[in-house]
Coordinates of all heavy atoms in Angstrom, one line a residue:
M4 N 114.4 74.7 101.0 CA 114.0 74.8 99.6 C 113.6 73.4 99.2 O 114.3 72.4 99.6 CB 115.1 75.3 98.8 CG 115.6 76.7 99.1 SD 114.6 78.0 98.4 CE 115.0 78.0 96.7
I5 N 112.7 73.3 98.3 CA 112.2 72.0 97.7 C 112.1 72.2 96.2 O 111.9 73.4 95.7 CB 110.9 71.5 98.3 CG1 109.8 72.6 98.1 CG2 111.1 71.1 99.7 CD1 108.4 72.1 98.5
Y6 N 112.4 71.1 95.5 CA 112.2 71.2 94.0 C 110.8 70.6 93.7 O 110.5 69.5 94.1 CB 113.3 70.4 93.3 CG 113.4 70.7 91.9 CD1 114.1 71.8 91.4 CD2 112.8 69.9 90.9 CE1 114.2 72.1 90.1 CE2 112.9 70.2 89.6 CZ 113.6 71.3 89.2 OH 113.7 71.6 87.8
V7 N 110.0 71.4 93.1 CA 108.6 71.0 92.8 C 108.4 71.0 91.3 O 108.8 71.8 90.5 CB 107.6 72.1 93.4 CG1 106.2 71.7 93.2 CG2 107.9 72.2 94.9
I8 N 107.7 69.9 90.9 CA 107.4 69.6 89.5 C 105.9 69.5 89.3 O 105.3 68.7 90.0 CB 108.1 68.3 89.0 CG1 109.6 68.3 89.3 CG2 107.8 68.0 87.5 CD1 110.3 67.0 89.2
P9 N 105.3 70.3 88.4 CA 103.9 70.2 88.3 C 103.4 68.9 87.6 O 104.2 68.3 86.9 CB 103.5 71.4 87.3 CG 104.7 71.6 86.5 CD 105.9 71.2 87.5
R10 N 102.2 68.5 88.0 CA 101.6 67.3 87.3 C 101.4 67.7 85.9 O 101.0 68.8 85.5 CB 100.3 67.0 88.1 CG 99.7 65.7 87.6 CD 98.4 65.4 88.3 NE 97.5 66.5 87.9 CZ 96.3 66.7 88.4 NH1 95.9 65.9 89.4 NH2 95.6 67.7 88.0
E11 N 101.6 66.7 85.0 CA 101.5 66.9 83.5 C 100.1 67.5 83.2 O 99.1 67.1 83.8 CB 101.6 65.6 82.8 CG 101.8 65.8 81.3 CD 102.1 64.5 80.6 OE1 102.8 63.7 81.2 OE2 101.7 64.4 79.4
G12 N 100.1 68.6 82.5 CA 98.8 69.2 82.1 C 98.3 70.2 83.1 O 97.2 70.7 82.9
T13 N 99.0 70.4 84.2 CA 98.5 71.3 85.2 C 99.3 72.6 85.3 O 100.6 72.6 85.1 CB 98.7 70.6 86.6 OG1 98.0 69.4 86.6 CG2 98.1 71.5 87.7
K14 N 98.6 73.7 85.4 CA 99.3 75.0 85.5 C 99.2 75.4 87.0 O 98.1 75.6 87.6 CB 98.6 76.1 84.7 CG 98.9 76.0 83.2 CD 98.4 77.2 82.5 CE 99.0 77.2 81.1 NZ 99.1 78.6 80.6
V15 N 100.3 75.5 87.6 CA 100.4 75.8 89.0 C 101.0 77.2 89.2 O 102.2 77.4 88.8 CB 101.3 74.7 89.8 CG1 101.4 75.1 91.2 CG2 100.8 73.3 89.6
P16 N 100.3 78.1 89.8 CA 100.8 79.5 89.9 C 101.8 79.5 91.0 O 101.8 78.8 92.0 CB 99.5 80.3 90.3 CG 98.6 79.3 90.9 CD 98.9 77.9 90.2
D17 N 102.8 80.4 90.7 CA 103.9 80.7 91.7 C 103.6 82.1 92.2 O 103.8 83.0 91.5 CB 105.3 80.6 91.0 CG 106.4 80.8 92.0 OD1 106.3 81.5 93.0 OD2 107.5 80.2 91.7
P18 N 103.3 82.1 93.5 CA 102.9 83.4 94.1 C 104.1 84.4 94.3 O 103.9 85.6 94.4 CB 102.2 83.1 95.4 CG 102.8 81.8 95.8 CD 103.1 81.1 94.4
V19 N 105.3 83.9 94.3 CA 106.5 84.7 94.5 C 106.9 85.3 93.1 O 107.1 86.5 93.1 CB 107.6 83.9 95.1 CG1 108.9 84.7 95.2 CG2 107.2 83.4 96.5
L20 N 107.0 84.5 92.1 CA 107.5 85.0 90.8 C 106.3 85.5 89.9 O 106.6 86.0 88.8 CB 108.3 83.9 90.1 CG 109.6 83.5 90.9 CD1 110.3 82.5 90.1 CD2 110.5 84.7 91.1
H21 N 105.1 85.3 90.3 CA 103.9 85.7 89.6 C 103.9 85.2 88.2 O 103.6 85.8 87.2 CB 103.8 87.2 89.4 CG 103.9 87.9 90.8 ND1 102.8 87.8 91.8 CD2 104.8 88.6 91.5 CE1 103.1 88.4 92.9 NE2 104.4 88.9 92.8
D22 N 104.2 83.9 88.1 CA 104.1 83.1 86.8 C 103.6 81.7 87.2 O 103.1 81.4 88.3 CB 105.4 83.1 86.1 CG 106.5 82.4 86.8 OD1 106.3 81.9 87.9 OD2 107.6 82.3 86.2
F23 N 103.7 80.8 86.2 CA 103.3 79.4 86.4 C 104.6 78.6 86.6 O 105.6 78.8 86.0 CB 102.5 78.9 85.3 CG 101.1 79.5 85.3 CD1 100.8 80.5 84.3 CD2 100.1 79.1 86.1 CE1 99.6 81.1 84.3 CE2 98.9 79.7 86.1 CZ 98.6 80.7 85.2
L24 N 104.5 77.5 87.4 CA 105.7 76.6 87.6 C 105.9 76.0 86.2 O 105.1 75.5 85.5 CB 105.2 75.5 88.6 CG 106.2 74.6 89.2 CD1 107.3 75.4 90.0 CD2 105.5 73.6 90.1
P25 N 107.2 76.1 85.8 CA 107.5 75.5 84.5 C 107.4 73.9 84.5 O 107.5 73.3 85.6 CB 109.0 75.9 84.2 CG 109.5 76.2 85.6 CD 108.4 76.7 86.4
P26 N 107.2 73.4 83.3 CA 107.0 71.9 83.3 C 108.2 71.1 83.9 O 108.0 70.0 84.4 CB 106.9 71.6 81.8 CG 106.5 72.8 81.2 CD 107.1 74.0 82.1
E27 N 109.4 71.7 83.8 CA 110.6 71.0 84.3 C 110.8 71.2 85.8 O 111.5 70.5 86.5 CB 111.9 71.4 83.6 CG 112.2 72.8 83.8 CD 111.6 73.9 82.9 OE1 110.7 73.4 82.1 OE2 111.9 75.0 82.9
G28 N 110.0 72.1 86.4 CA 110.0 72.3 87.8 C 110.8 73.4 88.2 O 111.5 74.1 87.4
R29 N 110.9 73.7 89.5 CA 111.6 74.8 90.0 C 111.9 74.7 91.5 O 111.1 74.0 92.2 CB 110.8 76.1 89.8 CG 111.3 77.3 90.4 CD 110.4 78.5 90.2 NE 110.2 78.9 88.8 CZ 109.2 79.5 88.3 NH1 108.2 79.9 89.0 NH2 109.2 79.8 87.0
W30 N 113.0 75.3 92.0 CA 113.3 75.4 93.4 C 112.3 76.4 94.0 O 112.3 77.5 93.5 CB 114.7 75.8 93.7 CG 115.7 74.7 93.4 CD1 116.5 74.5 92.4 CD2 116.0 73.5 94.3 NE1 117.3 73.4 92.5 CE2 117.0 72.8 93.7 CE3 115.4 73.1 95.5 CZ2 117.5 71.5 94.2 CZ3 115.9 71.9 96.0 CH2 116.9 71.2 95.4
V31 N 111.7 76.1 95.1 CA 110.8 77.1 95.8 C 111.0 76.9 97.3 O 111.5 75.9 97.8 CB 109.3 76.8 95.4 CG1 109.0 77.0 94.0 CG2 108.9 75.4 95.8
E32 N 110.6 77.9 98.1 CA 110.6 77.8 99.5 C 109.4 77.0 99.9 O 108.4 77.0 99.3 CB 110.4 79.2 100.1 CG 111.7 80.2 100.0 CD 112.8 79.7 101.0 OE1 112.5 79.2 102.0 OE2 113.9 79.8 100.5
R33 N 109.7 76.2 101.0 CA 108.6 75.4 101.5 C 107.6 76.3 102.3 O 107.9 76.6 103.4 CB 109.1 74.2 102.4 CG 108.0 73.3 102.9 CD 108.5 72.2 103.8 NE 109.3 71.3 103.1 CZ 108.8 70.2 102.5 NH1 107.5 70.0 102.6 NH2 109.5 69.4 101.9
T34 N 106.6 76.7 101.6 CA 105.5 77.6 102.2 C 104.2 76.8 102.3 O 104.1 75.8 101.7 CB 105.4 78.9 101.4 OG1 104.9 78.6 100.2 CG2 106.7 79.6 101.3
E35 N 103.3 77.5 102.9 CA 101.9 76.9 103.0 C 101.4 76.6 101.6 O 100.7 75.6 101.3 CB 101.0 77.8 103.8 CG 99.6 77.3 104.1 CD 98.8 78.3 104.9 OE1 99.3 78.9 105.8 OE2 97.6 78.3 104.6
H36 N 101.6 77.6 100.7 CA 101.1 77.4 99.3 C 101.6 76.1 98.7 O 100.9 75.3 98.1 CB 101.6 78.6 98.5 CG 101.3 78.4 97.0 ND1 100.1 78.6 96.4 CD2 102.2 78.1 96.0 CE1 100.1 78.3 95.1 NE2 101.4 78.0 94.8
W37 N 103.0 75.9 98.8 CA 103.5 74.7 98.1 C 103.2 73.4 98.8 O 103.0 72.4 98.2 CB 105.1 74.9 98.0 CG 105.4 76.0 97.0 CD1 105.9 77.2 97.3 CD2 105.1 76.0 95.6 NE1 106.0 78.0 96.2 CE2 105.5 77.3 95.1 CE3 104.5 75.1 94.7 CZ2 105.4 77.7 93.8 CZ3 104.4 75.5 93.3 CH2 104.8 76.8 92.9
V38 N 103.1 73.5 100.1 CA 102.6 72.3 100.9 C 101.2 71.9 100.4 O 100.9 70.8 100.2 CB 102.6 72.5 102.4 CG1 101.9 71.5 103.2 CG2 104.1 72.7 102.9
R39 N 100.3 72.9 100.2 CA 99.0 72.7 99.7 C 99.0 72.1 98.4 O 98.2 71.2 98.1 CB 98.1 74.0 99.9 CG 96.7 73.8 99.6 CD 95.9 75.1 99.8 NE 96.4 76.2 99.1 CZ 96.9 77.3 99.9 NH1 97.0 77.2 101.2 NH2 97.4 78.3 99.3
V40 N 99.8 72.7 97.4 CA 99.9 72.2 96.1 C 100.3 70.8 96.1 O 99.7 70.0 95.3 CB 100.9 73.1 95.3 CG1 101.2 72.5 93.9 CG2 100.3 74.5 95.0
L41 N 101.3 70.4 96.9 CA 101.8 69.0 97.0 C 100.7 68.1 97.5 O 100.4 67.0 97.0 CB 103.0 68.9 97.8 CG 104.3 69.5 97.3 CD1 105.4 69.6 98.3 CD2 104.7 68.8 96.0
R42 N 100.0 68.6 98.6 CA 98.9 67.8 99.2 C 97.8 67.5 98.2 O 97.2 66.4 98.1 CB 98.4 68.5 100.4 CG 97.3 67.8 101.2 CD 96.5 68.5 102.2 NE 95.8 69.6 101.5 CZ 95.7 70.8 101.9 NH1 96.2 71.2 103.0 NH2 95.0 71.7 101.2
D43 N 97.4 68.6 97.4 CA 96.4 68.4 96.4 C 96.8 67.7 95.2 O 96.0 67.5 94.2 CB 95.8 69.8 96.0 CG 95.2 70.5 97.1 OD1 94.9 69.9 98.2 OD2 95.0 71.7 97.0
Q44 N 98.1 67.2 95.1 CA 98.7 66.5 94.0 C 98.7 67.3 92.7 O 98.5 66.7 91.6 CB 98.0 65.1 93.9 CG 98.2 64.3 95.2 CD 97.7 62.9 95.1 OE1 96.9 62.5 94.1 NE2 97.9 62.1 96.1
D45 N 98.7 68.6 92.8 CA 98.9 69.4 91.5 C 100.3 69.4 91.1 O 100.7 69.8 90.0 CB 98.4 70.8 91.8 CG 96.9 70.8 91.9 OD1 96.2 69.9 91.4 OD2 96.4 71.7 92.6
A46 N 101.2 69.0 92.0 CA 102.6 68.9 91.8 C 103.2 67.9 92.7 O 102.5 67.4 93.6 CB 103.3 70.3 92.0
Q47 N 104.5 67.5 92.4 CA 105.2 66.5 93.2 C 106.6 67.0 93.5 O 107.1 67.8 92.8 CB 105.2 65.1 92.6 CG 106.0 65.2 91.3 CD 106.0 63.8 90.6 OE1 105.4 62.8 91.1 NE2 106.7 63.7 89.5
E48 N 107.1 66.6 94.7 CA 108.4 67.0 95.1 C 109.3 66.1 94.3 O 109.1 64.9 94.1 CB 108.6 66.8 96.5 CG 109.9 67.5 97.1 CD 109.9 67.5 98.6 OE1 108.9 67.2 99.3 OE2 111.0 67.8 99.1
G49 N 110.3 66.6 93.7 CA 111.2 65.8 92.9 C 112.7 66.3 92.9 O 113.0 67.1 93.7
S50 N 113.4 65.8 92.0 CA 114.8 66.1 91.8 C 115.0 66.9 90.6 O 114.4 66.6 89.6 CB 115.7 64.9 91.8 OG 115.6 64.1 92.9
P51 N 115.8 68.0 90.7 CA 116.1 68.8 89.4 C 116.8 68.0 88.4 O 117.6 67.0 88.8 CB 116.8 69.9 89.9 CG 117.5 69.5 91.2 CD 116.6 68.4 91.8
P52 N 116.7 68.3 87.1 CA 117.4 67.6 86.1 C 118.9 67.9 86.4 O 119.2 68.9 86.9 CB 117.0 68.3 84.8 CG 115.8 69.0 85.1 CD 115.7 69.2 86.6
P53 N 119.8 67.0 86.0 CA 121.3 67.2 86.3 C 121.8 68.5 85.8 O 122.5 69.2 86.5 CB 121.9 66.0 85.5 CG 120.9 65.0 85.3 CD 119.6 65.8 85.2
E54 N 121.4 69.0 84.6 CA 121.9 70.3 84.1 C 121.3 71.4 84.9 O 122.0 72.4 85.2 CB 121.6 70.5 82.7 CG 120.1 70.6 82.3 CD 119.5 69.2 82.1 OE1 120.2 68.2 82.1 OE2 118.3 69.2 81.8
A55 N 120.1 71.3 85.4 CA 119.5 72.4 86.3 C 120.1 72.3 87.7 O 120.3 73.4 88.3 CB 118.0 72.2 86.4
E56 N 120.5 71.1 88.1 CA 121.1 71.1 89.5 C 122.5 71.7 89.5 O 122.9 72.4 90.4 CB 121.3 69.6 89.9 CG 121.5 69.4 91.3 CD 121.4 68.0 91.7 OE1 120.8 67.1 91.0 OE2 121.8 67.7 92.9
A57 N 123.3 71.5 88.4 CA 124.6 72.1 88.3 C 124.6 73.6 88.3 O 125.4 74.2 88.9 CB 125.4 71.5 87.1
S58 N 123.7 74.1 87.6 CA 123.6 75.5 87.4 C 122.4 76.2 88.2 O 121.9 77.2 87.7 CB 123.6 76.0 86.0 OG 122.4 75.5 85.3
A59 N 122.0 75.5 89.2 CA 120.7 75.9 89.9 C 120.9 77.2 90.5 O 121.9 77.5 91.2 CB 120.4 74.8 90.9
T60 N 120.0 78.1 90.2 CA 119.9 79.4 90.9 C 118.6 79.3 91.6 O 117.5 79.3 91.0 CB 120.0 80.5 89.9 OG1 121.1 80.4 89.1 CG2 119.9 81.9 90.6
P61 N 118.6 79.3 92.9 CA 117.3 79.2 93.7 C 116.4 80.4 93.3 O 116.9 81.5 92.9 CB 117.7 79.2 95.1 CG 119.2 78.9 95.1 CD 119.7 79.3 93.8
A62 N 115.1 80.2 93.4 CA 114.2 81.3 93.2 C 114.5 82.4 94.1 O 114.9 82.2 95.3 CB 112.7 80.8 93.5
P63 N 114.3 83.7 93.7 CA 114.6 84.8 94.5 C 113.7 84.8 95.8 O 112.6 84.3 95.8 CB 114.4 86.0 93.7 CG 113.5 85.5 92.6 CD 113.7 84.1 92.4
E64 N 114.3 85.4 96.8 CA 113.5 85.5 98.1 C 112.5 86.5 97.9 O 112.7 87.6 97.2 CB 114.5 86.0 99.2 CG 115.5 85.0 99.6 CD 114.9 83.8 100.3 OE1 114.0 83.9 101.1 OE2 115.4 82.6 100.0
P65 N 111.3 86.3 98.4 CA 110.2 87.3 98.3 C 110.6 88.5 99.0 O 111.2 88.5 100.0 CB 109.0 86.6 98.9 CG 109.5 85.6 99.7 CD 110.9 85.1 99.2
V66 N 110.2 89.7 98.4 CA 110.4 91.0 99.1 C 109.4 91.2 100.1 O 108.2 91.2 99.7 CB 110.5 92.1 98.0 CG1 110.7 93.4 98.7 CG2 111.5 91.8 97.0
P67 N 109.8 91.4 101.4 CA 108.7 91.6 102.3 C 108.0 92.9 102.1 O 108.5 93.9 101.6 CB 109.4 91.7 103.7 CG 110.8 92.0 103.3 CD 111.1 91.5 101.9
D68 N 106.7 92.9 102.4 CA 105.9 94.1 102.2 C 106.4 95.1 103.3 O 106.3 94.7 104.5 CB 104.4 93.8 102.4 CG 103.8 93.0 101.2 OD1 104.4 93.1 100.1 OD2 102.9 92.3 101.4
T69 N 106.8 96.2 102.9 CA 107.2 97.2 103.9 C 106.1 98.3 104.0 O 105.7 98.8 103.0 CB 108.6 97.9 103.5 OG1 108.4 98.4 102.2 CG2 109.7 96.9 103.5
P70 N 105.7 98.5 105.2 CA 104.6 99.5 105.4 C 105.1 100.9 105.0 O 106.3 101.2 105.1 CB 104.3 99.4 106.9 CG 105.5 98.9 107.5 CD 106.2 98.0 106.5
A71 N 104.3 101.6 104.4 CA 104.6 103.0 104.1 C 104.9 103.8 105.3 O 104.4 103.5 106.4 CB 103.4 103.6 103.3
E72 N 105.7 104.8 105.2 CA 106.0 105.6 106.3 C 104.7 106.2 106.9 O 103.9 106.8 106.1 CB 107.0 106.7 105.9 CG 108.4 106.3 105.6 CD 109.1 105.8 106.9 OE1 108.9 106.4 108.0 OE2 109.8 104.8 106.9
P73 N 104.5 106.2 108.2 CA 103.3 106.8 108.6 C 103.3 108.3 108.6 O 104.4 108.9 108.6 CB 103.3 106.4 110.2 CG 104.7 106.0 110.5 CD 105.3 105.5 109.2
A74 N 102.2 108.9 108.3 CA 102.1 110.3 108.2 C 102.5 110.9 109.6 O 102.1 110.4 110.6 CB 100.7 110.7 107.8
P75 N 103.2 112.0 109.6 CA 103.5 112.6 110.9 C 102.2 113.0 111.6 O 101.2 113.5 110.9 CB 104.4 113.8 110.5 CG 104.2 114.1 109.0 CD 103.7 112.8 108.4
E76 N 102.2 112.9 112.9 CA 101.0 113.2 113.6 C 100.8 114.8 113.6 O 101.8 115.5 113.7 CB 101.2 112.7 115.0 CG 101.1 111.3 115.2 CD 101.1 110.8 116.7 OE1 100.5 111.5 117.4 OE2 101.7 109.8 116.9
A77 N 99.6 115.1 113.3 CA 99.2 116.5 113.4 C 99.3 117.0 114.8 O 98.8 116.4 115.7 CB 97.9 116.7 112.8
V78 N 99.9 118.1 115.0 CA 100.0 118.7 116.3 C 99.2 120.0 116.3 O 99.4 120.8 115.5 CB 101.5 119.0 116.7 CG1 101.6 119.7 118.0 CG2 102.3 117.8 116.6
F79 N 98.2 120.0 117.2 CA 97.3 121.2 117.3 C 98.1 122.2 118.2 O 98.5 122.0 119.3 CB 96.0 120.8 117.9 CG 95.1 122.0 118.2 CD1 94.5 122.6 117.1 CD2 94.9 122.5 119.4 CE1 93.7 123.7 117.3 CE2 94.1 123.6 119.6 CZ 93.5 124.2 118.6
T80 N 98.3 123.4 117.6 CA 98.8 124.5 118.4 C 97.7 125.6 118.5 O 97.4 126.2 117.4 CB 100.0 125.0 117.7 OG1 100.9 124.0 117.4 CG2 100.7 126.1 118.5
P81 N 97.3 125.8 119.7 CA 96.2 126.8 119.8 C 96.8 128.2 119.5 O 98.0 128.5 119.7 CB 95.7 126.7 121.3 CG 96.9 126.1 122.0 CD 97.6 125.2 121.0
P82 N 96.0 129.1 118.9 CA 96.5 130.4 118.6 C 96.7 131.2 119.9 O 96.1 130.9 120.9 CB 95.3 131.0 117.8 CG 94.1 130.2 118.1 CD 94.6 128.8 118.5
D83 N 97.6 132.1 119.8 CA 97.9 132.9 121.0 C 96.7 133.7 121.3 O 96.0 134.2 120.4 CB 99.1 133.9 120.7 CG 100.4 133.2 120.7 OD1 100.5 132.0 121.2 OD2 101.4 133.7 120.2
A84 N 96.4 133.9 122.6 CA 95.3 134.6 123.0 C 95.3 136.1 122.5 O 94.3 136.7 122.1 CB 95.1 134.6 124.5
D85 N 96.5 136.7 122.4 CA 96.6 138.0 121.9 C 96.3 138.1 120.4 O 95.7 139.1 120.0 CB 98.0 138.5 122.1 CG 98.4 138.7 123.5 OD1 97.4 138.8 124.4 OD2 99.6 138.6 123.9
E86 N 96.6 137.1 119.6 CA 96.3 137.1 118.2 C 94.8 136.9 118.0 O 94.2 137.5 117.0 CB 97.1 136.0 117.4 CG 98.5 136.3 117.4 CD 99.3 135.2 116.7 OE1 98.6 134.3 116.1 OE2 100.5 135.1 116.8
E87 N 94.2 136.1 118.8 CA 92.8 135.8 118.6 C 91.9 137.0 119.0 O 90.9 137.3 118.3 CB 92.4 134.6 119.5 CG 91.0 134.0 119.2 CD 90.7 132.8 120.0 OE1 91.5 131.9 120.0 OE2 89.7 132.8 120.7
N88 N 92.2 137.7 120.0 CA 91.5 138.9 120.4 C 92.4 140.1 120.4 O 92.9 140.5 121.5 CB 90.9 138.7 121.9 CG 90.0 137.5 121.9 OD1 89.1 137.3 121.0 ND2 90.1 136.7 123.0
P89 N 92.6 140.7 119.2 CA 93.5 141.8 119.2 C 93.0 143.0 120.0 O 91.7 143.2 120.1 CB 93.6 142.2 117.7 CG 92.5 141.4 117.0 CD 92.0 140.4 117.9
A90 N 93.8 143.7 120.6 CA 93.4 144.8 121.5 C 93.1 146.0 120.7 O 93.5 146.3 119.7 CB 94.5 145.1 122.5

């Protein structure tokens, strides 16, 4: 986890919480998104304020996308020969 603080006047989207990084910053997982934000200098890695550090609750873990249950495979059952050609 890293503490990320946005550059002043910059709105940095948080793809996990679906909001913007608050001006005081937030704990986030080190992902490709945040590495790119830091590289582009839209935010900087920093230290949380003392009050935030004491009561820090890390950002929630993202919920993995779970695939929907696959539809049961259709099974072809040929009709009985007697039913198809009644005597």
